[in-house]
């Protein structure tokens, strides 16, 4: 739900607990599993968005842009205290990975320490629901795209981002992103040279949680 006086919005809180306090080895692919296992470090809560944003401002939680996520079509932002020196036990690795830059694949504000909250926005900049199921997809896809893009040259990196944006609406948990698209359980989606998608099966639908 979003909009309207008194309306609440589903947000995701990321707590620096359990595996989320490590040093970032292995990327953020495990975050989707943490959602599915209902681990304490990833929590769904409903809040009045404006009230939550005011609370963030009053408590020193700055907006960390999630530019790589935006590049593949997910408009989210992490609110947390400014990144500091890495410290196992205080690190918030999921929040850090969400805020990496598309070009450098580095978190522009450094490692996020302490708890953080993730909000999703529509094209007009209004807060909208971020269900845990969709958040799990985002973290899984982000992990895949970082593995595809990391060894690439600049031109290949740009092509990877174009492909990722095109196929992201169809990606679900269990799919694996590759250089040409993604494959999963008896399904495939790839971006052809003419800019159109090749879908197998041909009637593959956009996942229900994708549209804002």
């Amino acid at each position: 739900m979003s909009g309207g006086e008194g309306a609440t919005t589903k947000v995701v809180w990321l707590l620096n607990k359990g595996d989320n306090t490590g040093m970032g080895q292995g990327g953020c692919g495990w975050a989707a599993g943490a959602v599915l296992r209902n681990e304490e470090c990833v929590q769904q809560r409903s809040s009045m968005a404006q009230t939550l944003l005011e609370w963030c401002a009053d408590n020193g939680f700055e907006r960390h842009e999630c530019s790589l996520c935006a590049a593949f079509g997910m408009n989210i932002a992490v609110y947390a205290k400014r990144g500091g020196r890495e410290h196992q036990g205080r690190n918030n690795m999921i929040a850090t990975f969400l805020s990496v830059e598309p070009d450098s694949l580095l978190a522009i504000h450094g490692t996020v320490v302490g708890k953080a909250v993730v909000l999703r926005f529509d094209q007009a900049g209004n807060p909208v629901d971020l269900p845990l199921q969709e958040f799990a997809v985002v973290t899984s896809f982000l992990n895949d795209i970082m593995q595809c893009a990391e060894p690439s040259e600049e031109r290949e990196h740009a092509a990877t981002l174009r492909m990722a944006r095109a196929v992201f609406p169809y990606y679900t948990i269990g799919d694996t992103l590759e250089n040409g698209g993604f494959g999963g359980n008896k399904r495939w989606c790839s971006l052809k040279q003419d800019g159109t998608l090749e879908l197998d099966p041909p009637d593959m639908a956009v996942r229900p949680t994708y549209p804002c």
Side-chain angles (χ1 to χ4, degrees), residues 143-152 160 163 177-179 181:
N143 187 69
D144 281 1
I145 196 173
M146 289 179 70
Q147 292 188 14
C148 286
E150 188 170 12
S152 301
T160 297
M163 176 273 295
L177 193 68
E178 302 173 358
N179 288 329

Side-chain angles (χ1 to χ4, degrees), residues 13 55-63 79-81 115-117:
W13 278 91
W55 180 92
C56 288
D58 291 343
N59 288 273
F61 278 48
E62 301 180 5
R63 178 172 172 136
Y79 289 81
K81 293 189 175 181
K115 63 184 178 181
V117 61

Side-chain angles (χ1 to χ4, degrees), residues 86-194:
E86 290 188 1
H87 184 287
Q88 191 160 3
R90 295 185 60 228
N91 294 342
N92 192 321
M93 297 315 304
I94 303 177
T96 301
F97 278 114
L98 287 172
S99 58
V100 299
E101 290 290 294
D103 296 330
S104 65
L105 299 181
L106 297 174
I108 191 169
H109 294 297
T111 300
V112 176
V113 295
K115 63 184 178 181
V117 61
V118 186
L119 279 77
R120 180 183 182 185
F121 300 90
D122 62 17
Q123 293 182 349
N126 301 309
V128 294
D129 284 343
L130 176 56
L132 274 182
Q133 180 184 0
E134 183 71 1
F135 183 73
V137 171
V138 171
T139 55
S140 178
F141 192 82
L142 178 64
N143 187 69
D144 281 1
I145 196 173
M146 289 179 70
Q147 292 188 14
C148 286
E150 188 170 12
S152 301
E153 296 181 357
E154 182 176 352
R155 184 168 61 181
E156 295 172 337
H157 181 67
T160 297
L161 291 178
R162 286 195 300 272
M163 176 273 295
R165 188 175 185 89
V167 305
F168 177 62
Y170 298 88
Y171 180 98
T172 61
I173 296 295
D175 293 329
T176 301
L177 193 68
E178 302 173 358
N179 288 329
F182 69 75
N185 184 20
K186 298 182 179 179
R187 38 187 270 129
W188 171 257
C189 176
S190 63
L191 180 65
K192 298 190 291 186
Q193 289 186 347
D194 63 5

Side-chain angles (χ1 to χ4, degrees), residues 13-18 20-21 40-43 45 91-92 114-116:
W13 278 91
L14 302 174
L15 307 183
N16 53 325
K17 296 185 176 182
N20 198 29
T21 65
E40 188 179 9
C41 62
V42 183
Q43 297 184 2
R45 300 181 190 174
N91 294 342
N92 192 321
K115 63 184 178 181

